[in-house]
Amino acid sequence: MRTGIATVCLSGTLREKLQACAVAGFDGIEIFEQDLVTSPLSPEDVRKMAADLGLSLDLYQPFRDFDSVPEELLAANLRRAEAKFRLMSRLGMDTVLVCSNVGTASIDDDDLRAAQLSRLAGLAADHGVKVAYEALAWGRYVNDYEHAHRLVQTVDHPNLGTCLDSFHILSRDWDTAPIESFNPDKIFFVQVADAPKLSLDVLSWSRHYRVFPGEGQFDLAKFLGHVVRAGYSGPVSLEVFNDVFRQSDVERTAVDAMRSLIWLEEQSAKWLDANPTAAGPDGRSAGPAPGTRRRYPMELATLPQVAEPAGFNFAEVRAADTAALETLLGQLGFAFNGRHRTKNVQLWTMGHARVIINEESAGAESSGTATAPAISAVGFDVDSPVIAAARAQQLKAPAVPRKSQADEEIFQGFAAPDSTEIFLCQGSPDGTAAWTREFGEGLELPAAGRAGAPGAVIDHVNLAQPWQHFDEAVLFYTSALALEPQPYAEVASPTGLVRSQVMLTRDRGVRLVLNLAPLLQQEGAAAGPGQRRSYQEHIAFAVDDLVATARAAQARGLDFLRIPENYYEDLEARFDLEPAFLATLRELNLLYDRDADGEFLHFYTATVGSVFFEMVERRGAYDGYGAPNAPVRHAVQYDHLHQLKPTP
Amino acid sequence: MRTGIATVCLSGTLREKLQACAVAGFDGIEIFEQDLVTSPLSPEDVRKMAADLGLSLDLYQPFRDFDSVPEELLAANLRRAEAKFRLMSRLGMDTVLVCSNVGTASIDDDDLRAAQLSRLAGLAADHGVKVAYEALAWGRYVNDYEHAHRLVQTVDHPNLGTCLDSFHILSRDWDTAPIESFNPDKIFFVQVADAPKLSLDVLSWSRHYRVFPGEGQFDLAKFLGHVVRAGYSGPVSLEVFNDVFRQSDVERTAVDAMRSLIWLEEQSAKWLDANPTAAGPDGRSAGPAPGTRRRYPMELATLPQVAEPAGFNFAEVRAADTAALETLLGQLGFAFNGRHRTKNVQLWTMGHARVIINEESAGAESSGTATAPAISAVGFDVDSPVIAAARAQQLKAPAVPRKSQADEEIFQGFAAPDSTEIFLCQGSPDGTAAWTREFGEGLELPAAGRAGAPGAVIDHVNLAQPWQHFDEAVLFYTSALALEPQPYAEVASPTGLVRSQVMLTRDRGVRLVLNLAPLLQQEGAAAGPGQRRSYQEHIAFAVDDLVATARAAQARGLDFLRIPENYYEDLEARFDLEPAFLATLRELNLLYDRDADGEFLHFYTATVGSVFFEMVERRGAYDGYGAPNAPVRHAVQYDHLHQLKPTP
């Protein structure tokens, strides 16, 4: 698949955009007119620079408001077009995007439109240019891709074809299956964009909220599958108008964009395999024989295949001063499993829940600042760490080197967009981890299980995301780790709404929650050197008997997050709870939720640095996270933080 | 008018919200349930705190999903209601908001609904509680305020009335005139919220985008006018769900909120005066006699009245090192009018355009940082500075003290939300300013007009706004300065979309442009001490002959913002310009725009600190700002900034 991207997707100048696209590995680009008009580079400069960078200049765009106009306006439009065609020849470009008229269309007549497009195609031919005509979703008269294609067929000129843009098609819920029957010679260009499903008017939605494939809710695998089946083999090019990408670091966004195409390519190949074509005219299936893939003009590369991770292998917290963390874990019922034989890390376990405390020194030393406790890494159980790592690498995840002694387990690690380190570990059917043997030499064994709940596991990990990398994070975890994004929730806190995006495996072995803190809080967090972020994140552990766990923790002196009495009175009003049960919740500062599928009990610890812990018990098939209780948690944590602050 | 505000409008804890509301001067508040549930304050604590702060507790809210349900759910709902009624008696509150059912309504039957509301009213009566029933705009069966009111009439119970919420009424475009015929005893509560007109679904629109009155596009003066005419005299209370206000400083937001009610009160009084009621049943006008105001149970206070400002009196730029500014103004054709006789400021003029250079020292000294040039103040010509200042003060604009010698003109000044100082100056019919006599003793006079264009005036001033104070700024300039917000534009820049909000007087004597820079750029600007912000703002001067002005500036060696050749080629393609004219534009780095009303020529200087200047010529009735050229300006400025940065 030939990959492309429109310059309008990225921040910076035309020069910066071209360089970033080349570094990210794109085959070609679309030049968005405004990027050229505002550039000090001459068309000849751009042509040379693209050639030097190995980028083909695939599409000049957009040419607006051409068709469905009276004759005198048509003359002006043709004059305008000719100027652009001349410019394109200086750029060495041969395809221009002409979108259906929005602003000046006044005559709704397909014959007239066809005649006008025919004249444009003729003029284009004189200049060696091909016109790719696209139906904008909000075009005045032409807003349906099949309509645009019918016009192309009517004109039947070698220099007129159609441009298929997934946004304009999927935002209107048009059926994409008819694409398969298009003559591939008449499909001049294909643009892809994803988007969250919004109820906004389609123009605003398009101009501000498009995202890269895998970051939204469109079925792009199917769309591209139909395009492939039609026999198209040209560029598949991203055209994404997004308020955040427009301001983010250009090189980073280009990599995010490239990752989305690599992932889409794989998803489309899978869709093609899963959806063989219907029986052909001769009655035999036109689909491929089992185990073989039908060949199309467009070759779709695939990635190393991985199953979804089976569970969390470990979570790691980094801190300069680890005392508070050690106390907290001990009180929760975790057992100290000793220090690593060569690294400055401790292992704490409860059942199969493993927490590594990384006694960071190197980073803190060089920056001169001590690091407050923060979640630094998460390990996932996968079938094959090597294959999973190869997949992540092909998806352009930045590798994280971890030194290892010769006889120690090597962890394949990658940096997630929020800079958490993601490790791919060998899972084992019994939930144990071989690498734990590297810990605790000289300790009385087995340390695990001595205290706390033997059935404990990591239930979910909640990571705070910088707002400008949120969409990138969703795609990263989707593509590299095979997690599935769920509809997000919004939770009120004293400092604003917190967005909570759950990413799941189908069997719920992994629940990762991406939290988007309010902007002002993110700005205020102003991470100092060595301090990644100061807004809160947490690790939640599931146990079989939360009340017993809480009682034991209470006996060990745990500092529970104190739940206000008003909460329990509200709980009483909302649910018909047994008085004795309610009294227990109250006594132990437990929170409670219930839905049609089951019940949820949980409690929180106080926060150390930017980390706190949660203990949960899921009863029945409860699948949530106690979202109605989150505002209580936020308010109490805010009160704590506030009390710690010196009065001005 | 009794003023109120719902706690959900504000950030922070319940304690912080109450305190901020008292400081801002509200009469009462609505307690949003979640704020109480998450609070460590007991209901008795809240009651005492409110009493101590002089705040009445006007409304407990919301009670959801009560009506239109089967009998067994109704029983549970009544049980839930009774728990809340008991809580209300502990709070000492007597009115609860019950909103029409969204989630659990399953029976669409007005008789059943009336019967259920009647039972609720009876239960409420037992607890001394009044139920204010509100039609949510997205209620399952009841989503029209007249429908809700019909139910209230049917039930006809002294403990059941209606709550009118402007958002739920105006978002659905319901006619508000029928409110006038409502029995005022049945209107238990009135909530007001403004909103920008969005095409979003009404639930998302309501939950995220409400703003305070005057910050959106609803006709709230009319809405409240009808409410006043109905004879309602209870609280007028803000209920504004807004993602930004929820995270902003609580005290500041409370003042912004209070300002919006003071302004709304005045606007409603004006609406009532301008819209006398139709003739009464006896054929005589029911409106007030000319010059008198009809009295209603709700008294509407008014503010000192001011006409819109006639023009800009001056603009002030502050800098530690003023050399670059002086050079730039001199090259543009400004004449140096000397120094002030007692202050460290210089006056530069061209025609009636006056620029003060403030040689800041005090602030810079204490912070230890030199201040880069930045726009620090804007003066407006008003009829009566004293009356205008009294108005601003009543609108809670923070006054800015400026020391003055006994015989010098005293400027009344206020700090705008972006911290620009706004001065109210005595306008004069001939466009001169008396205070200029305090400058230039010993200089050859008249200095003004010696160079440059004698007809020059300040055309517009463009101020960068911090994102979290943007809505507040719109209301500030609307209410305190009588400027009118126009629909905003969005302009592409290499660092993201810039929102441009024009605020105008009707005769265009004042054009103020509020710019909202992309968030990441705002974060990056990270104002150091003494440096308010580093993103760019500018002052534009209008002249009669821009080409002549540009030539003269060129001769004086002005550093024009260099416009790329690609821009002129695009201009040629877009407009049929005379070759000679185009050559002149090219030669002088002039930008050009044209619309149906006229033409616009303009050029920009290089930037010093965070300020640059623009010179414009308006031909015909052109009323814009050359928006299509803004991306070029942004791109070239970005390139400059980039070249100045050291390569990493």
Side-chain angles (χ1 to χ4, degrees):
Chain A
M1 184 176 103
R2 274 180 59 202
T3 56
I5 182 169
T7 53
V8 75
C9 304
L10 302 170
S11 69
T13 60
L14 188 55
R15 178 192 298 270
E16 291 168 334
K17 293 175 191 215
L18 260 68
Q19 287 169 345
C21 292
V23 170
F26 283 94
D27 297 316
I29 62 164
E30 304 172 33
I31 290 190
F32 190 71
E33 183 166 83
Q34 201 171 61
D35 284 319
L36 181 71
V37 167
T38 62
S39 173
L41 300 173
S42 72
E44 290 76 13
D45 291 340
V46 174
R47 181 180 193 156
K48 176 165 190 319
M49 177 178 288
D52 290 348
L53 290 168
L55 289 171
S56 66
L57 298 176
D58 292 330
L59 187 78
Y60 188 84
Q61 65 122 322
F63 189 82
R64 294 188 198 279
D65 293 340
F66 173 78
D67 61 84
S68 317
V69 296
E71 182 58 31
E72 66 277 16
L73 188 47
L74 183 76
N77 287 348
L78 286 168
R79 196 185 64 81
R80 184 160 61 92
E82 191 162 16
K84 297 303 173 187
F85 294 164
R86 278 196 300 265
L87 173 64
M88 286 173 63
S89 91
R90 293 173 60 196
L91 285 160
M93 297 182 74
D94 67 1
T95 309
V96 62
L97 177 78
V98 173
C99 23
S100 60
N101 197 331
V102 174
T104 61
S106 60
I107 310 169
D108 188 11
D109 177 344
D110 270 350
D111 291 339
L112 177 90
R113 254 190 295 277
Q116 296 185 338
L117 287 170
S118 180
R119 283 170 69 182
L120 183 65
L123 182 66
D126 297 343
H127 292 81
V129 166
K130 297 192 302 173
V131 170
Y133 182 62
E134 173 187 79
L136 291 179
W138 55 91
R140 177 95 189 263
Y141 302 124
V142 181
N143 44 49
D144 168 350
Y145 80 98
E146 290 188 85
H147 186 184
H149 192 251
R150 275 196 307 276
L151 288 164
V152 166
Q153 283 177 303
T154 304
V155 174
D156 195 24
H157 190 292
N159 290 64
L160 182 71
T162 193
C163 172
L164 299 174
D165 179 315
S166 68
F167 183 88
H168 293 296
I169 297 169
L170 299 174
S171 66
R172 298 288 304 265
D173 271 329
W174 302 129
D175 180 15
T176 50
I179 292 172
E180 291 201 13
S181 61
F182 283 16
N183 175 354
D185 296 340
K186 295 292 182 195
I187 306 176
F188 281 5
F189 211 75
V190 171
Q191 294 176 317
V192 287
D194 202 346
K197 294 238 164 127
L198 298 178
S199 62
L200 207 60
D201 67 287
V202 68
L203 175 60
S204 309
W205 186 19
S206 170
R207 290 281 166 84
H208 299 283
Y209 297 101
R210 292 186 183 202
V211 284
F212 295 124
E215 298 172 354
Q217 293 168 273
F218 285 163
D219 191 349
L220 291 172
K222 180 167 180 277
F223 166 79
L224 188 56
H226 290 307
V227 167
V228 169
R229 281 233 185 93
Y232 173 79
S233 61
V236 175
S237 185
L238 297 160
E239 190 195 29
V240 170
F241 303 90
N242 180 289
D243 287 0
V244 176
F245 300 159
R246 272 176 186 278
Q247 50 184 302
S248 308
D249 177 78
V250 58
E251 294 194 10
R252 182 162 176 165
T253 308
V255 169
D256 180 28
M258 190 63 203
R259 181 179 300 141
S260 79
L261 281 187
I262 295 169
W263 177 80
L264 175 59
E265 195 171 358
E266 176 195 48
Q267 297 302 307
S268 284
K270 284 186 178 179
W271 183 88
L272 285 167
D273 287 348
N275 294 275
T277 49
D282 56 356
R284 287 178 308 163
S285 164
T292 67
R293 171 167 297 143
R294 171 142 169 213
R295 298 190 67 90
Y296 298 102
M298 188 191 297
E299 296 273 358
L300 295 179
T302 51
L303 295 167
Q305 294 303 297
V306 292
E308 56 178 31
F312 290 102
N313 192 284
F314 69 89
E316 179 189 273
V317 182
R318 186 180 294 169
D321 180 353
T322 62
L325 280 174
E326 294 169 20
T327 304
L328 219 49
L329 288 172
Q331 289 168 334
L332 280 173
F334 274 75
F336 176 54
N337 282 228
R339 310 178 62 79
H340 191 267
R341 56 184 162 192
T342 61
K343 296 173 198 159
N344 284 333
V345 299
Q346 310 173 12
L347 173 63
W348 291 73
T349 62
M350 177 161 61
H352 294 314
R354 288 175 283 272
V355 175
I356 290 174
I357 299 182
N358 188 333
E359 302 168 349
E360 167 166 300
S361 52
E365 235 170 72
S366 64
S367 72
T369 344
T371 305
I375 298 176
S376 48
V378 180
F380 294 90
D381 278 337
V382 297
D383 281 351
S384 162
V386 172
I387 295 177
R391 178 181 173 86
Q393 203 131 27
Q394 289 196 28
L395 282 159
K396 301 188 171 280
V400 174
R402 281 241 165 162
K403 273 173 245 144
S404 207
Q405 305 286 6
D407 58 342
E408 290 168 9
E409 186 162 336
I410 295 166
F411 286 171
Q412 306 280 351
F414 295 90
D418 68 355
S419 81
T420 302
E421 295 174 3
I422 301 300
F423 288 98
L424 306 164
C425 314
Q426 183 67 60
S428 71
D430 61 356
T432 59
W435 56 264
T436 58
R437 283 181 312 229
E438 296 163 17
F439 286 79
E441 278 175 7
L443 266 192
E444 180 196 344
L445 289 175
R450 279 186 316 186
V457 294
I458 294 179
D459 182 83
H460 61 276
V461 175
N462 187 312
L463 298 174
Q465 303 297 308
W467 64 269
Q468 67 272 39
H469 302 311
F470 190 82
D471 293 314
E472 182 188 350
V474 169
L475 175 61
F476 174 85
Y477 290 110
T478 302
S479 62
L481 272 180
L483 304 185
E484 247 187 68
Q486 308 300 306
Y488 68 79
E490 280 177 322
V491 168
S493 89
T495 54
L497 293 180
V498 178
R499 183 192 288 197
S500 179
Q501 167 76 65
V502 173
M503 311 279 304
L504 292 181
T505 53
R506 263 156 302 181
D507 70 358
R508 309 306 194 242
V510 169
R511 298 168 181 271
L512 188 70
V513 186
L514 307 181
N515 257 4
L516 192 58
L519 286 184
L520 261 183
Q521 205 188 336
Q522 295 200 25
E523 287 184 22
Q531 193 168 0
R532 186 160 55 107
R533 58 192 164 219
S534 73
Y535 30 99
Q536 300 178 4
E537 337 185 89
H538 75 274
I539 305 167
F541 308 101
V543 294
D544 296 328
D545 184 345
L546 190 77
V547 171
T549 300
R551 276 205 201 289
Q554 191 184 40
R556 292 186 204 101
L558 179 75
D559 186 11
F560 287 79
L561 193 76
R562 304 291 167 87
I563 305 307
E565 169 58 20
N566 295 341
Y567 168 78
Y568 294 104
E569 293 183 10
D570 183 59
L571 211 55
E572 198 171 0
R574 289 194 290 133
F575 300 114
D576 224 357
L577 298 177
E578 288 290 321
F581 180 60
L582 192 65
T584 302
L585 296 180
R586 223 180 220 121
E587 177 206 344
L588 294 168
N589 285 284
L590 304 187
L591 295 144
Y592 176 82
D593 191 30
R594 187 169 74 197
D595 65 16
D597 301 317
E599 294 172 296
F600 190 62
L601 278 74
H602 57 142
F603 70 83
Y604 297 100
T605 69
T607 304
V608 292
S610 61
V611 188
F612 61 95
F613 300 105
E614 179 183 7
M615 302 288 297
V616 313
E617 177 188 339
R618 295 178 181 277
R619 293 180 175 179
Y622 183 92
D623 197 27
Y625 303 83
N629 302 328
V632 179
R633 191 251 291 172
H634 283 297
V636 178
Q637 287 176 330
Y638 174 88
D639 251 351
H640 274 250
L641 220 76
H642 204 78
Q643 284 160 18
L644 294 179
K645 267 198 254 168
T647 347
Chain B
M1 185 176 102
R2 276 180 57 201
T3 54
I5 182 169
T7 54
V8 75
C9 303
L10 302 170
S11 69
T13 61
L14 187 54
R15 178 192 298 271
E16 291 168 333
K17 293 175 191 214
L18 260 68
Q19 288 169 343
C21 292
V23 169
F26 283 94
D27 296 317
I29 62 163
E30 304 173 33
I31 290 190
F32 189 73
E33 183 167 81
Q34 201 170 62
D35 285 319
L36 182 70
V37 167
T38 62
S39 174
L41 299 173
S42 73
E44 290 77 12
D45 291 340
V46 175
R47 180 180 193 158
K48 179 169 187 315
M49 178 178 286
D52 291 348
L53 290 168
L55 290 171
S56 67
L57 297 175
D58 293 331
L59 187 77
Y60 188 83
Q61 67 123 321
F63 190 81
R64 294 189 199 278
D65 293 339
F66 172 78
D67 62 82
S68 317
V69 296
E71 181 59 31
E72 66 277 14
L73 188 48
L74 183 75
N77 287 348
L78 286 167
R79 196 185 65 80
R80 184 160 61 93
E82 192 163 15
K84 296 304 174 187
F85 294 164
R86 279 196 300 265
L87 172 66
M88 286 172 64
S89 90
R90 292 173 62 195
L91 285 160
M93 297 182 74
D94 68 0
T95 309
V96 63
L97 177 78
V98 173
C99 24
S100 61
N101 198 331
V102 174
T104 62
S106 60
I107 309 170
D108 188 11
D109 177 344
D110 270 350
D111 291 339
L112 177 89
R113 253 190 296 276
Q116 295 185 338
L117 287 170
S118 180
R119 283 170 70 181
L120 183 65
L123 182 66
D126 296 343
H127 292 82
V129 165
K130 297 192 303 173
V131 170
Y133 183 62
E134 172 185 82
L136 293 181
W138 56 91
R140 176 93 190 263
Y141 303 123
V142 181
N143 44 49
D144 168 351
Y145 79 99
E146 292 189 85
H147 186 184
H149 191 250
R150 277 197 306 278
L151 289 165
V152 165
Q153 283 178 304
T154 305
V155 174
D156 195 23
H157 189 292
N159 290 66
L160 182 70
T162 193
C163 171
L164 299 175
D165 179 314
S166 67
F167 183 87
H168 292 296
I169 296 170
L170 299 174
S171 66
R172 297 289 305 265
D173 270 328
W174 302 128
D175 180 15
T176 50
I179 293 172
E180 291 202 13
S181 62
F182 282 16
N183 175 353
D185 296 340
K186 294 293 183 196
I187 306 176
F188 281 6
F189 210 76
V190 171
Q191 294 176 317
V192 286
D194 202 344
K197 295 238 163 128
L198 297 178
S199 62
L200 206 60
D201 68 287
V202 68
L203 175 60
S204 309
W205 187 18
S206 170
R207 291 282 166 82
H208 300 282
Y209 298 100
R210 292 186 182 201
V211 284
F212 296 125
E215 297 171 356
Q217 292 167 275
F218 285 163
D219 191 350
L220 291 173
K222 179 166 181 278
F223 167 79
L224 189 56
H226 290 308
V227 167
V228 169
R229 281 233 185 92
Y232 173 81
S233 61
V236 175
S237 186
L238 297 160
E239 189 194 29
V240 170
F241 302 89
N242 180 289
D243 287 0
V244 176
F245 301 159
R246 273 178 186 276
Q247 50 184 302
S248 308
D249 177 79
V250 59
E251 294 195 9
R252 181 162 178 167
T253 307
V255 169
D256 180 29
M258 190 64 202
R259 180 179 301 141
S260 78
L261 281 187
I262 296 168
W263 177 80
L264 175 59
E265 196 171 356
E266 175 195 51
Q267 298 302 307
S268 284
K270 285 188 176 173
W271 183 88
L272 285 167
D273 288 348
N275 295 275
T277 48
D282 55 356
R284 289 178 306 166
S285 162
T292 67
R293 171 168 294 143
R294 171 140 170 216
R295 297 189 67 90
Y296 297 101
M298 189 192 297
E299 296 273 358
L300 294 178
T302 51
L303 294 167
Q305 293 303 297
V306 293
E308 56 177 31
F312 289 102
N313 191 283
F314 69 89
E316 180 188 274
V317 181
R318 187 178 294 167
D321 180 352
T322 61
L325 279 174
E326 293 169 21
T327 304
L328 220 47
L329 287 171
Q331 288 168 334
L332 280 173
F334 276 74
F336 174 55
N337 281 228
R339 310 179 61 80
H340 191 266
R341 56 184 162 193
T342 61
K343 297 172 197 159
N344 284 333
V345 300
Q346 310 173 12
L347 173 63
W348 291 73
T349 61
M350 175 160 61
H352 294 315
R354 287 175 284 274
V355 175
I356 290 174
I357 300 182
N358 188 332
E359 302 167 349
E360 168 165 301
S361 51
E365 234 170 73
S366 65
S367 73
T369 344
T371 305
I375 297 177
S376 49
V378 179
F380 294 90
D381 278 337
V382 297
D383 281 351
S384 163
V386 172
I387 296 178
R391 178 181 173 86
Q393 202 130 29
Q394 288 196 29
L395 283 160
K396 299 188 173 282
V400 173
R402 280 242 166 162
K403 272 174 246 143
S404 206
Q405 304 287 3
D407 59 341
E408 289 169 9
E409 185 163 336
I410 295 165
F411 284 171
Q412 305 280 352
F414 295 89
D418 68 355
S419 82
T420 302
E421 295 174 4
I422 300 301
F423 288 99
L424 305 165
C425 313
Q426 185 65 61
S428 72
D430 62 355
T432 60
W435 57 264
T436 57
R437 284 181 311 230
E438 296 163 19
F439 286 79
E441 280 173 7
L443 266 193
E444 180 196 345
L445 288 175
R450 279 187 314 187
V457 294
I458 294 179
D459 183 82
H460 61 276
V461 175
N462 187 312
L463 298 173
Q465 304 296 307
W467 64 270
Q468 68 270 39
H469 302 311
F470 190 82
D471 293 314
E472 182 189 349
V474 169
L475 174 61
F476 173 86
Y477 290 111
T478 301
S479 62
L481 272 180
L483 304 186
E484 247 186 71
Q486 309 300 306
Y488 67 78
E490 279 176 323
V491 168
S493 89
T495 56
L497 292 179
V498 177
R499 184 193 288 197
S500 179
Q501 166 76 65
V502 174
M503 310 280 304
L504 290 181
T505 53
R506 262 155 303 182
D507 70 357
R508 310 305 193 242
V510 170
R511 299 170 181 271
L512 187 70
V513 186
L514 307 180
N515 256 4
L516 192 58
L519 287 182
L520 261 183
Q521 205 188 336
Q522 295 200 24
E523 286 183 23
Q531 192 168 1
R532 187 159 55 105
R533 59 194 162 217
S534 74
Y535 32 96
Q536 300 179 3
E537 343 185 85
H538 75 274
I539 306 167
F541 309 101
V543 294
D544 297 327
D545 184 344
L546 191 77
V547 171
T549 300
R551 277 209 200 288
Q554 191 185 39
R556 293 186 205 101
L558 179 75
D559 186 11
F560 288 78
L561 194 76
R562 305 290 167 87
I563 306 305
E565 169 58 20
N566 295 341
Y567 168 78
Y568 295 103
E569 292 182 12
D570 183 59
L571 211 56
E572 196 172 3
R574 290 194 290 134
F575 300 114
D576 224 355
L577 299 176
E578 290 290 322
F581 180 60
L582 191 65
T584 302
L585 297 180
R586 221 180 220 122
E587 177 205 343
L588 294 167
N589 285 284
L590 304 187
L591 296 146
Y592 176 83
D593 191 30
R594 185 168 76 196
D595 64 15
D597 302 317
E599 293 173 297
F600 190 62
L601 278 74
H602 56 145
F603 70 83
Y604 298 99
T605 69
T607 304
V608 292
S610 61
V611 189
F612 61 95
F613 300 105
E614 179 183 6
M615 301 291 295
V616 314
E617 177 188 338
R618 293 177 182 278
R619 295 181 175 178
Y622 183 93
D623 197 28
Y625 304 83
N629 301 329
V632 180
R633 192 251 291 171
H634 283 297
V636 179
Q637 287 176 331
Y638 173 88
D639 251 352
H640 274 250
L641 221 76
H642 205 78
Q643 282 160 18
L644 293 177
K645 267 197 253 168
T647 347

